Amino acid sequence: MTRTIARWAPLLVLAALASGCAPAPAPAAPSPDEGAARKAASVALTALSHRKFDVHGCAAAEARLVQEAEARAGTPQSERCAILVARQSDRTWLVVVRSSLSSSSVGAQALVTVLPEAEGVSAVEYAR
């Protein structure tokens, strides 16, 4: 019996090593809601740029899909722009954009209500 295990030992070692070298799983494709949230974020950023709100460094692709309460709570001021997106009960999108501390808007926060299919903006509110 010892001889049989000894004969298979190199194969067992190779199998253990190979299992650690498996390629990483491919990243999951964004859900339809994430894609729609990014589109809503893009519409909000465009609207804010037309209103002289500094969106430099903000990217719709970096928007985080969150619950409405978390979006309304906003984000703390930081060196980077932050974008939170939430679907509201009336199917509109709430997009919260916090500009970076280095922007001309100096950490200001905008709450943008984007229409259900991201066809436009219905309201913009500002906070510090």
Side-chain angles (χ1 to χ4, degrees):
M1 177 119 160
T2 304
R3 188 170 193 178
T4 305
I5 292 175
R7 187 170 27 164
W8 292 100
L11 289 175
L12 294 174
V13 170
L14 286 174
L17 290 173
S19 67
C21 297
S31 72
D33 268 355
E34 287 174 344
R38 287 190 179 120
K39 185 175 179 183
S42 179
V43 168
L45 290 173
T46 300
L48 289 172
S49 68
H50 291 265
R51 288 172 171 81
K52 307 292 188 229
F53 186 91
D54 188 0
V55 294
H56 179 73
C58 298
E62 294 176 6
R64 282 191 316 128
L65 184 59
V66 297
Q67 296 296 317
E68 184 177 354
E70 184 179 348
R72 288 198 179 279
T75 62
Q77 294 182 1
S78 75
E79 292 300 318
R80 298 188 59 183
C81 175
I83 304 171
L84 303 177
V85 183
R87 180 69 95 167
Q88 300 185 100
S89 60
D90 63 356
R91 305 297 296 156
T92 60
W93 293 97
L94 174 63
V95 180
V96 179
V97 179
R98 169 76 76 177
S99 64
S100 67
L101 290 173
S102 60
S103 75
S104 64
S105 297
V106 192
Q109 183 168 275
L111 285 80
V112 183
T113 303
V114 178
L115 298 173
E117 299 301 319
E119 62 268 16
V121 170
S122 65
V124 179
E125 300 173 39
Y126 300 98
R128 282 267 173 202

